[in-house]
Each structure stands twice: as C-alpha cells, then as structure tokens.
Amino acid sequence: MLLEVKNLRTEFKLKRGTVRAVDDVSFTIDKGEILAIVGESGSGKSVTSLSLMGLIQKPGGVAGGEILFKSQDLTKLSQKELQEIRGNKISMIFQEPMTSLNPVWRIKDQIMENIMTHMKMSKKEALARTVEMLDTVGIPSPAERANDYPHQMSGGMRQRVMTAMALSCEPDLLIADEPTTALDVTIQAQILELLYQMREKFNMAVLLITHDLGVVYEAADRVIVMYCGKIVEEADVKTLFEHPQHPYTVGLLQSIPQIDNESDEHLFMIKGMVPNPLHMPPGCSFSDRCDRCMERCTKEMPELQEINGHKVRCFLYDKAEEGELSAK
C-alpha cells in the first residue's frame, strides 16, 4: 500500500462559521495505480489533494484523520520534513500551468531548482536532467526550449513543462489536478497518453483530480465520486460506468452528451445547486436535488457501505445476501 488516507477532515474556520471542505474521507492508492476523484466544483476534490501535500493555508487546515504515505503519517510531520517529500516522493501538477509557473524565470531554472533541491545534483547535472525530462514529455528541441519563459509556450506545452517538473525526481505518487482543463481535445488526449506512459515508465501511482468523466473513463483504474466533501461512491472504472449506484453518479453520467443520440430532447441536468457549505442541510447533502429522495434522507446521513469492492453512500441500497448492491 503506497498511500492510505483514513477519515481525513479539512476545515476552514471563517468569521461566519466553519466550512468542512473534506469530511471523513478514506481511500487507498497502490503503486502503479491511477485513482480518479470526480465531482462538481466545490465537492472537495482539490482540497483533498492539497491536504495530502500539506499545502492548506490558514484559515484552513487538516482537522483530523491520517495520511499514511509508506506507513508514515504526513499530518504529523513538520513543514521542513514535508518539504523533503513534496516535489520528491510526492509531486503535483497544478490546475493552471500559467499561474503555477513563475513568469520571470526561464523554464530550465524552475525545473533545475527542484532537481538540485531533492537530488543533490550539480548545476550542470541538473541542466542535463532538465533537458532529458523535457524530451521525455515530448517538448521539441528541449535544449533550446529550456531557455524559454512560460509565456513563450502554448497551453499544452506549459502543461508538459509542469509534468516534466513534477516527474523530474521520479516520484512514487503524482497528483494531477485537472491536468486537461482549458486544453483542446487533441492536446487533452496527448496529456493523458503522456501520464499513462509516465506511469508505466516510472511505476508510479497517479491521483487524478477532474470533473471530466471522459478523462476518467480513458485513464483511471478506480474512481471516487465526491459530493460536498464526502465520498458518495467508489468502484473500479468499468463497474462505475456500467452500474452506477448513487443518484448523483447517475446524474453525472446522464449529463454527458452522446454523439449517437438522435433525440431532440434537452441534455439531462441535475436540478438545483450544491448547498452552501456554511449552511449544510440536515441528512443527506444531496437530498434536495435527488429525484428518489425519501423522508429518511432529509434527517439522516447514510453511511458509506461496501459490497465486493463497490461502495455507495445511499439509503436506496442495502447489503444483499447475494453480495451485490441492490436498490430497494
């Protein structure tokens, strides 16, 4: 087991109240596995990834739970100890490369800094490693492009630079937060193929944060669906797409446009809005948007139950004797 997250809670203490952005989240990632976390904006995906990296800033912070990386609890480490792991054993591709890259530093300087910090290489060795990594991620003429500034590159190339930087120290775990956002479909495909190749080459695990279910289907081994800071469903990718259980997951899948759909009906839309995290409704947080809501749903929060590796947080399902989740 490479990473085990147990009952993670991340909170932001504001003047108007406390926002629990990640609420009792538990999952595992094995070496070489791609785990995707999906959900609407505000579901807690990115906050979960930032919690793993120890990058939650005040007024936020990890309020409870454990983050066991190679059996070491990251929540117990000092910032100095975390810095030894960040960018080295655990790396992250941030959501927007243009704002993540320093606009006044050349590409080579930004990658070399990470290499020299963690791999204790000389400047000459770090430059050679930088050019090698840029070549690995498909940057043409890497020795020349290493001298460029971020604004001299396209969005797809900046995303490749971020990937090269994240992989430069051969991490055990790569966190990719919306790595294909704002890229056209051809570049998206190239970035996904690159992540898959790097996973194979370095035998690393990947935590893929996205709201794009098409990306999930192409890249992931397992999928976690989050809503309002909680995991509402978890399964392997094939099971989740073929047999979704939670009404929220069903709604997300129904919202995907179908090319072969000749119907003139409007695209399916989940009704309502994500509730205000400062004023969460009692019971299930999805109850006021759910077409199958029962009275119990408005009063109690269902537990996350598991049968044969498929987990779902919904009162519609009970543990069936035959070992499958069955709707009431």
Side-chain angles (χ1 to χ4, degrees), residues 157-173:
M157 291 184 71
R158 287 195 295 266
Q159 195 64 278
R160 288 175 182 270
V161 168
M162 287 292 297
T163 303
M165 187 185 302
L167 296 175
S168 59
C169 296
E170 299 184 11
D172 295 307
L173 173 63

Side-chain angles (χ1 to χ4, degrees), residues 36-52:
I37 301 182
V38 301
E40 292 173 276
S41 297
S43 62
K45 309 184 302 298
S46 293
V47 176
T48 298
S49 66
L50 292 173
S51 299
L52 302 184

